[in-house]
């Protein structure tokens, strides 16, 4: 069973402000995904990795499994391995999402179920 790593996120206060810690001491691949206005990623799934998305700029529209909803900046979304998921930008400015992938990372592990750009 995959654990929900969003439950382990914590904020540490410092004299200069604060930091938010997402993971400690485990293999993780980190990307910043920029989604242009009116665009979306393919509806996809991964067999070998889970993902956590931290919305930087948004809001963004997300789908995980059968559920779709709007996610505001500063919020996180957990995508378990094997779950169908999609990220889209309904806004009028570029949206950015910090993606942390847990597990074996390989771009070939993308199974596209629907794609606006006709990729296989």
């Amino acid at each position: 069973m995959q654990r929900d790593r969003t439950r382990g996120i914590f904020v540490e206060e410092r004299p200069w402000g604060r930091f938010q810690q997402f993971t400690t001491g485990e293999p993780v691949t980190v990307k910043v995904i920029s989604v242009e206005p009116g665009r979306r990623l393919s509806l996809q799934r991964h067999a070998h990795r889970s993902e956590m998305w931290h919305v930087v700029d948004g809001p963004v529209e997300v789908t995980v499994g059968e559920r779709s909803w709007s996610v505001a900046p500063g919020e996180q979304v957990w995508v378990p391995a094997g779950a169908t998921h999609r990220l889209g930008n309904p806004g009028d400015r570029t949206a950015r999402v910090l993606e942390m992938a847990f597990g074996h990372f390989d771009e070939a592990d993308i199974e596209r179920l629907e794609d606006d750009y006709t990729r296989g």
Side-chain angles (χ1 to χ4, degrees):
M1 180 172 186
Q2 294 282 329
R3 71 180 175 98
D4 181 348
R5 285 178 173 86
T6 61
R7 295 185 191 279
I9 296 171
F10 67 90
V11 175
E12 184 77 26
E13 299 291 331
R14 296 295 164 98
W16 43 262
R18 72 193 59 75
F19 67 83
Q20 190 172 21
Q21 186 162 322
F22 297 102
T23 183
T24 303
E26 59 186 309
V28 62
T29 301
V30 179
K31 299 194 284 188
V32 173
I33 299 173
S34 298
V35 185
E36 297 302 320
R39 301 292 181 105
R40 62 186 183 170
L41 282 67
S42 60
L43 182 66
Q44 58 187 261
R45 66 179 159 222
H46 312 290
H48 303 290
R49 70 178 186 256
S50 299
E51 296 174 343
M52 185 174 68
W53 299 336
H54 177 82
V55 179
V56 178
D57 304 312
V60 296
E61 291 293 321
V62 301
T63 298
V64 178
E66 298 296 318
R67 182 175 173 226
S68 296
W69 72 101
S70 181
V71 181
E75 294 182 326
Q76 291 87 30
V77 175
W78 178 249
V79 181
T84 59
H85 59 281
R86 172 178 268 165
L87 172 66
N89 179 2
D92 58 2
R93 297 184 7 209
T94 301
R96 292 180 304 152
V97 174
L98 179 68
E99 177 187 271
M100 290 153 275
F102 300 89
H104 177 72
F105 187 88
D106 184 348
E107 288 292 341
D109 184 32
I110 298 173
E111 178 186 355
R112 288 188 177 89
L113 307 170
E114 294 177 10
D115 186 60
D116 296 346
Y117 315 103
T118 62
R119 297 170 296 170

